[in-house]
């Protein structure tokens, strides 16, 4: 079974490119979220193996979403990679 990665990115084109790379070229299963709230919900319900989180989301920062995920005992050890497209 392939590892599952939750991709959190509000810009649909950027999210699609990252998902394509992770699926086609790396062989991962992916989940998608466009907001911090959606990321928190999917992290708790879907239990991905890794989260790749944009730091600039429309409803909260990626840091705030990561903190909320890390506060839950069931997801406290879930690795999160933070990134931003800002220069």
């Amino acid at each position: 079974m392939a590892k599952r990665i939750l991709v959190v990115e509000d810009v649909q084109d950027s999210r699609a490119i990252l998902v394509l790379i992770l699926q086609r070229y790396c062989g991962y299963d992916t989940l998608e979220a466009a907001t911090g709230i959606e990321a928190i919900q999917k992290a708790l319900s879907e239990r991905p193996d890794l989260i790749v989180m944009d730091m600039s989301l429309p409803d909260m920062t990626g840091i705030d979403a990561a903190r909320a995920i890390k506060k839950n005992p069931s997801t406290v050890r879930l690795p999160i990679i933070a990134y931003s497209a800002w220069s």
Side-chain angles (χ1 to χ4, degrees):
M1 177 190 252
K3 298 285 186 179
R4 291 188 310 158
I5 298 177
L6 173 57
V7 176
V8 185
E9 169 61 68
D10 59 314
V11 177
Q12 211 272 305
D13 289 343
S14 298
R15 189 173 64 246
I17 290 167
L18 187 51
V19 164
L20 176 71
I21 291 167
L22 290 170
Q23 288 178 345
R24 186 170 294 168
Y25 300 109
C26 301
Y28 294 109
D29 291 332
T30 57
L31 304 163
E32 298 180 42
T35 67
I37 296 293
E38 190 178 0
I40 294 164
Q41 292 169 341
K42 286 195 176 181
L44 295 172
S45 66
E46 300 293 330
R47 304 292 173 94
D49 297 294
L50 173 71
I51 297 175
V52 177
M53 175 103 60
D54 182 14
M55 290 292 95
S56 179
L57 298 169
D59 58 346
M60 65 176 64
T61 68
I63 291 172
D64 290 336
R67 283 185 181 137
I69 291 166
K70 294 293 188 174
K71 280 185 181 178
N72 190 300
S74 66
T75 53
V76 69
R77 297 183 59 82
L78 177 58
I80 300 173
I81 297 174
Y83 80 97
S84 179
W86 290 31
S87 57

